[in-house]
Each structure stands twice: as C-alpha cells, then as structure tokens.
C-alpha cells in the first residue's frame, strides 16, 4: 500500500521533487524504526512496572533514560527475555533489525547510484515503502503482547489520546509564545 502511494506521488513530481520524495520516504523509514524502538522500550517499562521491579518515579525515570541509550538490537534481546514471541515474530524481528541497520548505516553508501535513473529511484521507494509497511505491521503485532500490562495500568486508548492531545496543546502554546 505504501509503495502505491509513493509511486503515485513520484509520478506527479519534477526531477527535484522526486529526489525530495525519496529523502522523505527515507526519513519516514527511519521514523518508523524509531517508533519500533520506542515500542520495545515501552514494553520493557510496562513489564517492569507491573512486575514491581520499578518501585518509584525515580526508578521509572532512570529506566526511561537508560532505555533511550540502548540500541535496537539490545532492546529486542531484552524484550525477547520478558515476552514469549512466536517463532515467526522472532524471525521478523531479526529481519527488521537487519534491514534497519542496513538502512541507517549503509543504504545510501551502497545505493547512491540509484538516484541517477528512474528505475533506481523507484527501487529506492520500494525498499523504503516495504520497510515502512513491515515496521508498522510488526509494531501493531507487538501490541498483543503488552496489552495486558496497559490494561493493568489503565492505559486505555482514551487515556493515551488525552496525553497526546495535551502534548499537542502544549506545543501549540509554545509556538504562540515564540
């Protein structure tokens, strides 16, 4: 689905716009990998809160800070210890980690020549779109594993939506003050 949208956008752009679109989809890919990392961090945090290994707000703050310093690979290893995944999900996590590391550390170094042709540009969009779709699917699948903890802590969709709305309001207010 993402690739079809990207291709539709691509065909409407001039040469400069096509390059910008490729960078935009690269950026969205990196963003989706960060969303996955945040999901792993949240899974560990919720698990540790519910299992009483974090006993104070200070412990929680420290856990959040420490988690932000961990690589995606380390987060996946820790999550696998705390949660029992299907073999398929474990395989998917391994694959998405490999793709994420390639994307972030080597993709442009090994594929910059693709910018010179329409075929190459479409291949880049295809790679990024596939990564976006896979990351989104995995992120959605992971929610099943930590939903029980969300329920125990009364983190309903409404509560989360209210938190997000409050963040939006604070940012809008900050902008108005500038």
């Amino acid at each position: 689905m993402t690739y079809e949208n990207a291709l539709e956008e691509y065909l409407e752009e001039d040469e400069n716009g096509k390059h910008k679109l490729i960078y935009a989809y690269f950026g969205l890919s990196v963003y989706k990998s960060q969303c996955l990392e945040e999901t792993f961090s949240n899974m560990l945090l919720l698990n540790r809160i519910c299992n009483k290994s974090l006993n104070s707000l200070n412990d929680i703050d420290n856990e959040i800070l420490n988690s932000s310093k961990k690589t995606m690979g380390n987060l996946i290893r820790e999550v696998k210890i705390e949660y029992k995944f299907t073999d398929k999900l474990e395989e998917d996590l391994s694959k998405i980690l490999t793709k994420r590391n390639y994307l972030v550390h080597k993709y442009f170094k090994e594929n910059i020549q693709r910018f010179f042709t329409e075929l190459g540009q479409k291949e880049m969009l295809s790679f990024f779109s596939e990564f976006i779709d896979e990351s989104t699917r995995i992120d959605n699948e992971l929610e099943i594993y930590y939903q029980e903890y969300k329920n125990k802590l009364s983190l309903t969709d409404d509560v989360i939506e209210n938190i997000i709305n409050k963040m939006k309001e604070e940012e809008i207010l900050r902008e108005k003050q500038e």
Side-chain angles (χ1 to χ4, degrees):
M1 180 73 176
T2 301
Y3 181 65
E4 289 81 18
N5 293 338
L7 194 55
E8 188 176 310
E9 289 178 77
Y10 177 85
L11 295 173
E12 294 175 6
E13 294 290 344
D14 62 16
E15 197 61 32
N16 189 41
K18 289 177 179 178
H19 289 139
K20 289 179 182 178
L21 186 69
I22 290 166
Y23 285 127
Y25 275 87
F26 170 78
L28 184 55
S29 298
V30 172
Y31 168 76
K32 286 296 190 174
S33 75
Q34 289 180 354
C35 288
L36 263 180
E37 287 178 333
E38 199 59 32
T39 294
F40 299 135
S41 294
N42 289 337
M43 290 175 77
L44 291 170
L45 182 65
L46 292 173
N47 175 276
R48 291 171 182 161
I49 290 171
C50 289
N51 290 319
K52 309 282 191 240
S53 60
L54 301 175
N55 299 315
S56 69
L57 290 176
N58 191 44
D59 289 344
I60 293 171
D61 287 343
N62 287 334
E63 177 71 20
I64 292 169
L65 180 62
N66 290 335
S67 184
S68 69
K69 296 176 183 177
K70 294 177 181 173
T71 65
M72 188 174 188
N74 286 334
L75 290 169
I76 289 173
R77 276 189 285 286
E78 286 187 42
V79 167
K80 283 180 177 181
I81 292 169
E82 301 298 333
Y83 294 84
K84 301 299 177 228
F85 296 138
T86 63
D87 291 343
K88 171 77 168 94
L89 182 54
E90 288 210 15
E91 181 181 317
D92 288 348
L93 291 174
S94 178
K95 286 179 182 177
I96 204 73
L97 175 62
T98 299
K99 286 183 182 179
R100 178 258 179 216
N101 288 342
Y102 175 69
L103 177 74
V104 171
H105 298 292
K106 295 183 180 179
Y107 187 82
F108 280 104
K109 183 175 13 176
E110 295 182 5
N111 293 283
I112 196 65
Q113 74 282 0
R114 293 179 192 269
F115 258 119
F116 300 123
T117 66
E118 185 173 310
L119 173 65
Q121 292 169 359
K122 288 177 180 176
E123 289 170 342
M124 294 172 94
L125 285 174
S126 177
F127 181 86
F128 300 147
S129 297
E130 182 180 303
F131 183 86
I132 291 163
D133 290 343
E134 286 177 25
S135 296
T136 301
R137 179 188 58 77
I138 290 169
D139 204 4
N140 291 336
E141 189 175 335
L142 287 169
E143 188 163 354
I144 297 165
Y145 291 91
Y146 63 93
Q147 184 64 46
E148 180 184 333
Y149 293 136
K150 284 174 59 179
N151 293 343
K152 282 183 183 179
L153 297 171
S154 300
L155 287 173
T156 64
D157 290 340
D158 287 339
V159 168
I160 293 169
E161 184 177 342
N162 287 337
I163 292 168
I164 292 170
N165 287 335
K166 185 174 184 205
M167 289 170 48
K168 287 178 186 176
E169 290 169 10
E170 289 172 359
E171 178 60 15
I172 291 168
L173 180 61
R174 185 187 75 82
E175 181 183 48
K176 287 179 181 177
Q177 293 173 346
E178 289 295 314

